[in-house]
Amino acid sequence: MYSNFEKINYQKNIQECCEEVEQIVIDLYKKGIYPTEAKVSEIISRPGFFRYKQVRDALLSVRRKLGLQS
């Protein structure tokens, strides 16, 4: 039971972090700053979450949507 709660909480935290990454990338792009992982890490509330593949994938995905990455 408790491990199920942990799993749900983990997934929720990852999703929130991905959404935050997307917003930061868009904000940096609008300011004319290329959104590198280092730049996003300086701003994000939980920079340690870049160790998770889903968060790094969110960064790549939004950069692709903006035409910054092939």
Side-chain angles (χ1 to χ4, degrees):
M1 178 85 171
Y2 184 73
S3 66
N4 191 35
F5 169 78
E6 286 178 330
K7 188 175 183 179
I8 291 169
N9 197 39
Y10 163 81
Q11 291 170 343
K12 179 179 164 269
N13 287 334
I14 293 290
Q15 181 60 37
E16 287 174 358
C17 193
C18 289
E19 291 169 6
E20 186 179 5
V21 164
E22 290 178 17
Q23 190 57 54
I24 290 169
V25 169
I26 291 168
D27 291 345
L28 288 172
Y29 176 74
K30 286 179 181 177
K31 293 176 183 176
I33 301 169
Y34 187 81
T36 63
E37 184 175 323
K39 281 283 185 202
V40 175
S41 290
E42 291 174 7
I43 300 167
I44 197 165
S45 60
R46 298 183 227 173
F49 271 57
F50 268 108
R51 69 180 176 265
Y52 299 114
K53 185 178 182 328
Q54 301 97 313
V55 178
R56 292 190 312 276
D57 287 347
L59 174 65
L60 296 175
S61 175
V62 73
R63 286 198 308 209
R64 274 189 214 107
K65 288 177 189 175
L66 295 172
L68 300 173
Q69 187 155 341
S70 56

